[in-house]
Amino acid sequence: NEYLRDLLFEHMDTENAALAFALLTGNSGWMDGDVLQNFRYGGVAHIFAVSGMNFAIVYAALLFVCKRLRVRARFYVSAIAALLIFYAGVCGFAPSAVRALVMCIVLMLMDAGGFAYDWVSSVSAAFLVVLIVHPHYLFSVGFSLSVAAAAGIIVLGRPIARLFTRLRLPRSASSALGVALSAQTAVFPI
């Protein structure tokens, strides 16, 4: 974490380095208070939370390289899992990062084993594993939001997208609206 921060601040101007560091690690503590406040007022400060999308990008890139190099599953599963755990560590093992890490590792193991991936079981497993390791996360708003958003997208995303498709919206717009609305619906009570 410190190495990445030093690297960014050494090669970029301070404001951009702080923004890049926040996007990569979820740590917005180096950002100017006014800039961060503007993100909060704009309702987009959540982009600084490391989540499933960050892990999905890292996982997909590593999997692509491994499959391109024809690495056997038993080798790449261990290597990718180790790198994902390292990335979660760079992110300070934030609750949302740990949830995404567990879901990603479950996905990888199911895929490597030739089993069908069950999204609901995966988010449930992530919830339980995180709470076994850190029971105090039960009272963490960040963890609650992370699990609720993931569960909302999994359970409500497709039905809402189908509804928008029936309203004759393009498939890509329907999908994007389905994801956004399902996540918002799930986190609203929190």
Side-chain angles (χ1 to χ4, degrees):
N1 189 292
E2 289 177 20
Y3 175 76
L4 178 61
R5 184 189 68 226
D6 292 344
L7 184 68
L8 290 171
F9 278 88
E10 181 180 324
H11 296 288
M12 299 173 78
D13 67 86
T14 304
E15 190 172 312
N16 287 333
L19 180 61
F21 187 67
L23 288 170
L24 290 170
T25 67
N27 183 347
S28 58
W30 297 93
M31 291 183 64
D32 178 70
D34 292 335
V35 173
L36 186 57
Q37 195 61 34
N38 287 338
F39 277 97
R40 287 184 180 136
Y41 285 144
V44 293
H46 63 276
I47 65 170
F48 300 125
V50 175
S51 65
M53 181 60 73
N54 301 75
F55 277 85
I57 290 169
V58 171
Y59 170 66
L62 293 171
L63 185 64
F64 175 78
V65 169
C66 288
K67 288 198 174 188
R68 196 77 162 166
L69 296 174
R70 299 176 194 252
V71 176
R72 293 180 188 229
R74 63 179 168 209
F75 296 117
Y76 77 70
V77 166
S78 300
I80 292 175
L83 289 169
L84 290 174
I85 291 168
F86 176 77
Y87 180 55
V90 168
C91 299
F93 291 106
S96 59
V98 175
R99 191 256 328 137
L101 168 68
V102 172
M103 288 185 70
C104 209
I105 289 176
V106 168
L107 168 66
M108 186 171 41
L109 291 173
M110 298 299 283
D111 185 47
F115 299 103
Y117 182 69
D118 178 19
W119 291 96
V120 174
S121 296
S122 179
V123 76
S124 301
F127 179 77
L128 292 174
V129 167
V130 170
L131 288 181
I132 288 168
V133 175
H134 294 288
H136 64 278
Y137 279 176
L138 182 61
F139 305 105
S140 166
V141 174
F143 180 65
S144 298
L145 289 170
S146 175
V147 171
I153 291 168
I154 291 166
V155 173
L156 301 173
R158 285 190 183 146
I160 292 173
R162 280 194 296 267
L163 175 67
F164 284 119
T165 303
R166 282 190 221 134
L167 296 174
R168 300 195 196 281
L169 284 174
R171 179 167 278 158
S172 58
S174 297
S175 178
L177 286 170
V179 168
L181 191 57
S182 62
Q184 290 298 320
T185 301
V187 301
F188 179 74
I190 297 169

